[in-house]
Amino acid sequence: MIDQLRQQLDELGENYVEKNAAFKIKVIPFFCAIRIKKDHKSEGRLSFYSSQLLEIFLVVLFLLFGLTLYDTDAGFTHGPIHIAFAILITFNLIIKQVAIEGLKTRLAFHRLLAAHSQKSTDNTNSAKNSTAK
């Protein structure tokens, strides 16, 4: 399974680093990296993740802290910068999730194309063998 994943990533042209049967794929350099690990409990599955729990915690923390400092009398333009940081981190999380789903889709589509091309080559080989007899 790991060899297949390595081959698929090479064919797709993805930038990745492999370490101890775990892959770190740099989808958007310096901004978004996805980690893929083999699930040892259930064979045949790969786990896609990007360490989003810490970022979700930061968003909640920035929002709570920013809203406690917010002055309702001054208006929205006098609010703290913490809310802006929370919005930026939220956009980062959304982009990472889109990147994870995009990579999953590209890998699945690559498998479908490989299976289809294998099936078509098998059909042409069987047709050649039947005409040769």
Side-chain angles (χ1 to χ4, degrees):
M1 174 176 291
I2 297 297
D3 294 332
Q4 290 175 347
L5 179 63
R6 186 181 306 115
Q7 179 186 5
Q8 289 172 355
L9 290 173
D10 285 336
E11 289 176 3
L12 288 174
E14 294 289 337
N15 297 326
Y16 68 92
V17 177
E18 182 181 359
K19 184 177 180 184
N20 297 334
F23 293 88
K24 183 177 181 182
I25 302 167
K26 298 174 183 178
V27 180
I28 304 171
F30 305 110
F31 188 69
C32 178
I34 300 171
R35 292 172 185 84
I36 301 176
K37 280 188 174 181
K38 184 177 178 184
D39 194 1
H40 294 289
K41 293 178 183 175
S42 61
E43 292 295 321
R45 287 192 56 202
L46 295 173
S47 300
F48 291 75
Y49 65 97
S50 67
S51 302
Q52 295 176 347
L53 191 60
L54 178 66
E55 293 175 1
I56 292 171
F57 178 71
L58 280 174
V59 166
V60 170
L61 214 109
F62 276 134
L63 279 177
L64 290 177
F65 187 67
L67 291 175
T68 57
L69 295 177
Y70 179 66
D71 184 13
T72 56
D73 296 333
F76 187 71
T77 57
H78 291 79
I81 195 72
H82 299 89
I83 296 173
F85 284 141
I87 291 171
L88 288 175
I89 294 172
T90 303
F91 282 143
N92 186 357
L93 284 169
I94 292 169
I95 289 173
K96 280 185 181 181
Q97 194 61 38
V98 168
I100 288 173
E101 295 304 320
L103 181 64
K104 284 182 184 179
T105 304
R106 286 193 311 254
L107 287 172
F109 191 65
H110 184 270
R111 279 189 226 117
L112 283 174
L113 285 176
H116 180 69
S117 65
Q118 180 67 28
K119 185 178 178 182
S120 65
T121 55
D122 288 344
N123 288 341
T124 57
N125 286 341
S126 65
K128 286 180 183 179
N129 290 341
S130 65
T131 57
K133 290 180 181 180

